[in-house]
Amino acid sequence: MYRFPDDLDLGIVAGSHIPQLCFGIGEVQIHFSCGVTICIQGEIDIFLGEKVIANWAQGSLWSSLDFQKIYNKDVRNAGLLSNQILEIQLDDNLSIRLYDNSDHYESLQIWFPGADVPEIIV
C-alpha cells in the first residue's frame, strides 16, 4: 500500500537469527533475535537458491512445510530489491521475500526494539 521507504535500513537484523515464527488469522510474524519483528499480512516467498520452496498469502495456508527451514537460521543481509520487495538473505542459500503487493491494504509492519525508532508500515 505505502511501499517500502527508499532509505529503509535493516542492517540491525544482519548477524541475528530467527528463533520464532508466529501464525494468526491472516498474519505471519517473523521474530528476530535482535528484537526486530515483522508482521506480514501480504505475501511471503521462501527461496532455496532461485527456487520458491514455500509461499504464504493471507487467506491460505503455507504451500509447503519447507517454510520451517528458516527457523534458527542466521541472517546474512536484508535489503530492498525494489520499493515493493524486501529480501532477507539467510544461511544455507535460503532467502525470504516479502511483498507490498496491495494498493488498498497494508502489507506488513516492521517493529524495532526500543521506543526511539518508530514502526514502519508498508
Side-chain angles (χ1 to χ4, degrees):
M1 177 176 186
Y2 300 114
R3 308 300 183 237
F4 290 99
D6 292 334
D7 61 348
L8 178 62
D9 181 7
L10 284 176
I12 187 175
V13 299
S16 68
H17 64 279
I18 299 173
Q20 187 177 45
L21 293 174
C22 298
F23 307 105
I25 296 174
E27 178 176 272
V28 171
Q29 296 178 6
I30 302 173
H31 296 271
F32 297 87
S33 60
C34 64
V36 170
T37 297
I38 303 178
C39 302
I40 305 111
Q41 298 84 32
E43 187 175 349
I44 305 168
D45 282 333
I46 308 293
F47 285 81
L48 178 59
E50 294 300 315
K51 180 183 178 190
V52 175
I53 59 170
N55 173 274
W56 179 89
Q58 193 176 55
S60 67
L61 299 175
W62 282 98
S63 65
S64 163
L65 292 178
D66 282 336
F67 76 87
Q68 297 176 62
K69 292 181 179 191
I70 69 172
Y71 278 117
N72 213 31
K73 293 294 181 193
D74 288 334
V75 178
R76 291 187 332 209
N77 193 18
L80 297 177
L81 297 181
S82 74
N83 69 347
Q84 291 183 273
I85 305 171
L86 171 64
E87 182 175 69
I88 303 164
Q89 298 172 346
L90 308 172
D91 281 347
D92 297 334
N93 207 22
L94 290 163
S95 61
I96 305 166
R97 287 190 188 166
L98 308 174
Y99 303 94
D100 178 17
N101 54 5
S102 174
D103 290 328
H104 303 288
Y105 302 103
E106 292 177 7
S107 298
L108 61 93
Q109 302 82 38
I110 303 171
W111 301 89
F112 294 91
D116 56 331
V117 180
E119 72 274 2
I120 295 173
I121 300 172
V122 178

